[in-house]
Amino acid sequence: MKYLIIGLGNKGEEYTETRHNIGFKVAEKIAETIDAPFKSTNFGWLADGKYKGRRVLILKPDTYMNLSGKAIKFWVQKENIPLENIMVITDDLALPFGTLRMKMKGSDAGHNGLKSIQEELQTQNYPRVRFGISAEFAEGKQVDYVLGVWNDEEKEKLPERIEKFSKACLSFVFAGIQNTMSAFNGK
């Protein structure tokens, strides 16, 4: 069985430590956990490894957030991966910092990365896990906040939260989405 885990983010040093790149950070932790190094390839960086006997591909698209769907569609088709075997990791303003919310399907909720995926895959029916980044910004400052760096309190808690999300994604691979949602949602 094959799985594709996609961490959403933006390429470039200026985005590395931003809230919008949390998907990349979680993807990197998953790849480190299963000892699968990233290699530059079509539409991004791909790590290819095994977890409990299952093949796991981990993708960090280099298309920028707003065109993430192109990379995902390419790899889903190339590797012939059913949509129920993909997991998209993204940031979410509607959730308090560090909150984990995994779903089997759902709307894009205004997130440009999810909007691109929906357009390319022609469906909202794919698993995703959302990392709460909260909405601690003044009116009209959403872009600055999302593309801003973590504050000191968030930086302190980030390693533990990234670890939790990594474990949730690997649980999805082995235990399935229903069991994983029961075990991890809201934690």
Side-chain angles (χ1 to χ4, degrees):
M1 223 183 275
K2 236 188 293 193
Y3 291 83
L4 176 63
I5 299 174
I6 306 104
L8 298 186
N10 287 312
K11 65 181 177 179
E13 278 300 312
E14 67 271 29
Y15 298 111
T16 302
E17 300 303 324
T18 65
R19 291 177 180 90
H20 220 25
N21 267 37
I22 192 60
F24 276 14
K25 294 292 187 189
V26 174
E28 289 162 3
K29 182 65 179 174
I30 295 165
E32 176 187 308
T33 301
I34 66 170
D35 195 27
F38 281 98
K39 295 179 177 134
S40 183
T41 186
N42 294 340
F43 291 103
W45 302 272
L46 190 72
D48 188 345
K50 292 236 186 240
Y51 181 71
K52 296 190 177 186
R54 295 177 181 180
R55 185 169 175 215
V56 181
L57 301 170
I58 306 155
L59 176 66
K60 297 189 311 180
D62 68 358
T63 53
Y64 290 104
M65 186 70 74
N66 297 355
L67 298 174
S68 299
K70 291 187 181 302
I72 294 167
K73 181 179 180 182
F74 174 84
W75 285 102
V76 163
Q77 290 177 342
K78 182 179 187 323
E79 293 291 333
N80 196 24
I81 298 174
L83 293 184
E84 64 269 13
N85 285 10
I86 73 168
M87 177 60 68
V88 176
I89 308 160
T90 188
D91 59 301
D92 192 313
L93 286 165
L95 298 172
F97 170 78
T99 301
L100 186 152
R101 178 90 31 87
M102 188 176 283
K103 295 174 74 176
M104 293 175 11
K105 60 184 178 180
S107 76
D108 60 53
H111 191 286
N112 290 331
L114 296 178
K115 195 175 295 183
S116 171
I117 296 166
Q118 180 181 323
E119 287 170 5
E120 292 293 333
L121 299 180
Q122 291 295 295
T123 184
Q124 296 178 344
N125 299 334
Y126 59 87
R128 77 277 315 265
V129 61
R130 299 180 299 152
F131 189 108
I133 63 170
S134 75
E136 304 293 322
F137 55 88
E139 189 174 333
K141 296 291 184 185
Q142 179 175 331
V143 172
D144 294 337
Y145 179 78
V146 169
L147 295 178
V149 297
W150 304 97
N151 67 36
D152 290 340
E153 185 180 335
E154 292 166 335
K155 280 182 196 170
E156 188 178 313
K157 295 176 181 174
L158 213 46
E160 183 273 329
R161 299 314 303 155
I162 290 171
E163 178 74 26
K164 177 73 77 180
F165 275 74
S166 170
K167 285 180 179 176
C169 289
L170 289 172
S171 171
F172 161 75
V173 167
F174 187 71
I177 193 158
Q178 292 292 349
N179 291 331
T180 303
M181 287 190 314
S182 296
F184 286 89
N185 268 351
K187 304 221 165 56

